[in-house]
């Protein structure tokens, strides 16, 4: 056994109580990173107090994060609020630990690369990189899909309509949808805090302030992130995000034009042979849904059909759990790469 493969690592999770942190903790429990120790921190815990949690059946203490507590760590997952993540992410290089931002706190900062395992993780061969960003769930899903198709033929152009769950707004979004749904069914009134319109039994296209060209700021951010991850592939890409009243899971209708005309069976084979995906053929009796992908580690792809007017063009229905396949699975694979485990 090599020195790298036999080594154990000291890992910390900052923002333990967030949804992203809860899922990465489940992934870490799988043993894919050999742990010497794991520490939990959350800014919601007051400095003079602590909270209890558990990991692999063992009681653990959640402490308030402090710079001196991170001395000697190998890897830190940042899943807290933006201020906390920025503080401890910027300390990574000086303190000698590697860090992965799970919450988009460093989005749009060119000095902090957004990394998707198997797509652009070659940049991690630069050992000077101490801090990376786990991309937006849509960026992870789309770049994996387009990279898989690019193995068949160059991708010229792709468009996606994205159905966004309320868990994109963490626990607050989930609670607002649940409470608003209950209130409306009870003929009561509810004061909205997160969404600009009624979210229960409703949907709307813009979730934040529109940029001058009409896209929302989030749409432009994700679009630019995807183009950055796929840099060098010269793919024209655009998306639109629709907020829908579901708790978890992103669903996407994806249109893709290939440079070469390919058969449906050739496109199917790309997803069938790739362990990142779970493919459903057109005649499948099982529909791909948010309920089906909940808690699953794969990206679900199906309902494949050819565009009748454009040779080499296809429509795909894609869905993934935003906390597992759209976040934690990629973060763990990137962490392994950074630690020299694969």
């Amino acid at each position: 056994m090599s020195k790298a493969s036999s080594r154990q690592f000291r890992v910390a999770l900052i923002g333990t109580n967030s949804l992203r942190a809860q899922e990465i903790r489940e992934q870490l429990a799988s043993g894919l990173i050999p742990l010497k120790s794991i520490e939990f921190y959350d800014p919601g815990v007051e400095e003079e107090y602590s909270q209890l949690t558990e990991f692999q059946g063992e009681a653990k203490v959640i402490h308030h994060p402090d710079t001196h507590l991170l001395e000697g760590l190998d890897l830190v997952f940042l899943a807290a609020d933006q201020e906390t993540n920025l503080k401890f992410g910027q300390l990574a290089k000086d303190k000698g630990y590697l860090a992965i931002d799970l919450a988009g706190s460093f989005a749009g900062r060119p000095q902090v690369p957004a990394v998707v395992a198997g797509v652009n993780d070659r940049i991690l061969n630069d050992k000077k990189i101490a801090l990376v960003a786990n991309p937006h769930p849509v960026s992870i899903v789309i770049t994996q899909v387009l990279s898989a198709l690019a193995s068949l033929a160059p991708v010229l152009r792709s468009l996606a309509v994205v159905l966004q769950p309320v868990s994109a707004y963490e626990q607050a979004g989930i609670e607002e949808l649940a409470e608003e749904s209950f209130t409306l069914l009870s003929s009561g009134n509810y004061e909205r805090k997160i969404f600009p319109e009624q979210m229960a039994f409703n949907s709307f296209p813009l979730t934040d302030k529109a940029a001058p060209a009409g896209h929302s700021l989030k749409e432009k951010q994700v679009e630019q992130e995807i183009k950055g991850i796929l840099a060098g592939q010269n793919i024209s890409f655009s998306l639109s995000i629709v907020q829908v009243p579901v708790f978890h899971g992103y669903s996407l209708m994806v249109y893709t034009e290939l440079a070469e005309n390919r058969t449906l069976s050739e496109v199917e084979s790309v997803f069938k042979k790739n362990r990142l995906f779970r493919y459903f053929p057109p005649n499948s009796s099982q529909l791909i849904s948010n309920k089906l992908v909940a808690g699953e580690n794969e990206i679900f792809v199906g309902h494949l059909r050819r565009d009748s007017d454009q040779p080499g063009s296809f429509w795909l229905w894609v869905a993934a759990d935003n906390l597992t396949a759209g976040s934690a699975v990629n973060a763990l694979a990137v962490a392994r790469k950074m630690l020299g485990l694969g």
Side-chain angles (χ1 to χ4, degrees), residues 244-261:
V244 294
V246 298
F247 290 108
H248 295 287
Y250 277 89
S251 297
L252 304 86
M253 178 58 75
V254 181
Y255 169 81
T256 302
E257 295 179 9
L258 302 181
E260 303 169 11
N261 196 10

Side-chain angles (χ1 to χ4, degrees), residues 26 31 40 72 112 128 163 176 225 250:
E26 293 296 319
F40 298 100
V112 182
K128 295 181 181 179
L163 307 185
E176 181 154 320
E225 186 174 64
Y250 277 89

